Amino acid sequence: KSFPCLTSLLSVAVAALLWNNGRPRSSTLVVHAFSTTSSSSSTIHSIDNIPCRETSIYISTLDQSITILEATLEGQDKLVDEVLMLDEERDESSDNIVDNDPYGSVLWPAALTVSEHITRDSFLKSSGGDNNHPPTLLELGTGTGLVALAASASNKYESILATDYETVPLKLLDAAYSLNQNDDNDIPTTTTPIVTSLFDICNLSVPLPPADIVCAADILYEKSTGIALAKRCIEALERGSRVVIGCSPGRPGRPAFLEELKRLLNPRLKEVDFVDVEGSTCTGERNNLICGAGSSSISDEPEMLIVALMDLTPDCL
């Protein structure tokens, strides 16, 4: 994904406003356990001078809550202001907080859906993993890191590599991982370590890092990202990886993703699409340029939300 400052950020915000009542199309309705998010915590952390709040997310498949860090409204405003600076006003010698977009600083609904999907026993068994040979996981566009944290808490992955093309999300994830290791429980928990790394899915000259399972949640914010993700899906499938993609309603890059994926798969697989699953909205304040007023992704209290999910295995090729 790539957001060249003002023009792209505003266009994405407008698209979000236009699409916020949309529903994902699919051929199948899969009902999942309804999970909730809690944003009542008042604990504030400073990550790269960005104020961030602790948010507790209940993962039904693990029957436990995961603590993530997401930017407060003040922090989001700061990140948005950084993005909206005109190129000529940027000091190339300065260390900007964020290069292109602030969306990874807050949680989005598909992250919860993907987290629960990849930590189900049935999913792990069908992926060929067992206690002796657990699968490896690669997450693209980790954002606040909920998916990686849930996979870590399940302790059913051999290794976890969480990537993003921005540094702020990776720092949020690193800090959240430490928080989850130092909770109030006296009972020691065993988790899989998380490795974080910068990685741009749109830079197709750099191959995907190796992993048995490749996943991404809510990264289809524009057409170019959708096309790039489709190509990454084929790259992963051809090397034998399983691919899981989650997408909340109204993501502008989803049509381009589906079109490109079907083009690349043709004639191997023509009928590829998302399926609808019951997920949950997120709570908490959002900057209007990060999430437009009236968006179906955000609510004052957690509500059921239909989220699109795609699960592809190498045998579809």
Side-chain angles (χ1 to χ4, degrees):
K1 52 186 180 180
S2 176
F3 293 89
C5 299
L6 178 62
T7 303
S8 287
L9 185 60
L10 289 176
S11 66
V12 171
V14 170
L17 285 169
L18 293 175
W19 284 67
N20 70 75
N21 291 320
R23 292 296 187 187
R25 296 179 180 178
S26 72
S27 56
T28 307
L29 176 64
V30 180
V31 179
H32 282 188
F34 179 66
S35 301
T36 61
T37 65
S38 170
S39 57
S40 59
S41 173
S42 60
T43 304
I44 302 297
H45 301 258
S46 178
I47 308 297
D48 258 12
N49 294 317
I50 298 297
C52 301
R53 65 191 175 97
E54 292 184 16
T55 304
S56 180
I57 313 296
Y58 178 71
I59 309 295
S60 65
T61 48
L62 302 178
D63 192 24
Q64 73 178 80
S65 293
I66 302 292
T67 298
I68 64 166
L69 289 173
E70 55 180 350
T72 63
L73 184 58
E74 177 188 351
Q76 295 168 47
D77 292 344
K78 188 172 183 179
L79 290 167
V80 168
D81 288 345
E82 178 80 10
V83 173
L84 295 182
M85 290 172 60
L86 297 177
D87 286 338
E88 56 266 28
E89 294 178 349
R90 288 177 181 255
D91 181 356
E92 293 184 358
S93 65
S94 67
D95 185 14
N96 291 317
I97 298 170
V98 61
D99 293 328
N100 292 298
D101 81 76
Y103 298 103
S105 66
V106 291
L107 182 66
W108 299 104
L112 175 59
T113 299
V114 173
S115 295
E116 296 192 333
H117 186 72
I118 66 163
T119 54
R120 280 190 168 79
D121 287 337
S122 58
F123 172 85
L124 292 162
K125 290 179 181 177
S126 63
S127 297
D130 55 42
N131 291 333
N132 294 323
H133 301 91
T136 56
L137 178 69
L138 166 66
E139 185 185 11
L140 305 174
T142 189
T144 59
L146 178 62
V147 175
L149 290 167
S152 172
S154 75
N155 200 33
K156 294 179 179 177
Y157 285 89
E158 180 179 351
S159 64
I160 300 168
L161 175 59
T163 68
D164 205 285
Y165 84 132
E166 295 283 1
T167 58
V168 169
L170 301 181
K171 292 179 180 180
L172 292 178
L173 173 52
D174 285 337
Y177 179 79
S178 296
L179 285 174
N180 284 279
Q181 303 308 302
N182 300 313
D183 57 21
D184 294 331
N185 275 326
D186 293 330
I187 303 174
T189 57
T190 302
T191 60
T192 304
I194 299 173
V195 176
T196 58
S197 177
L198 286 169
F199 182 77
D200 185 356
I201 68 168
C202 293
N203 182 2
L204 298 176
S205 66
V206 179
L208 282 175
D212 298 315
I213 297 169
V214 178
C215 66
D218 272 335
I219 66 171
L220 297 174
Y221 285 100
E222 62 175 17
K223 181 178 179 180
S224 61
T225 310
I227 293 173
L229 182 59
K231 293 178 179 178
R232 293 298 193 178
C233 286
I234 299 299
E235 179 184 353
L237 291 168
E238 287 182 339
R239 73 178 186 192
S241 301
R242 186 173 183 174
V243 177
V244 176
I245 308 295
C247 189
S248 299
R251 298 298 181 250
R254 192 197 302 181
F257 166 74
L258 281 172
E259 181 181 355
E260 180 69 3
L261 185 61
K262 292 177 180 180
R263 184 188 72 81
L264 294 171
L265 284 171
N266 185 48
R268 292 176 288 187
L269 180 65
K270 295 182 179 179
E271 298 301 323
V272 59
D273 208 341
F274 287 97
V275 297
D276 289 349
V277 301
E278 287 188 4
S280 172
T281 58
C282 298
T283 60
E285 295 179 300
R286 296 289 190 272
N287 179 287
N288 284 336
L289 287 184
I290 291 180
C291 185
S295 168
S296 60
S297 293
I298 307 299
S299 56
D300 293 335
E301 297 294 333
E303 299 175 359
M304 191 277 287
L305 178 73
I306 297 299
V307 175
L309 185 70
M310 180 178 291
D311 187 339
L312 300 173
T313 55
D315 58 10
C316 73
L317 296 179

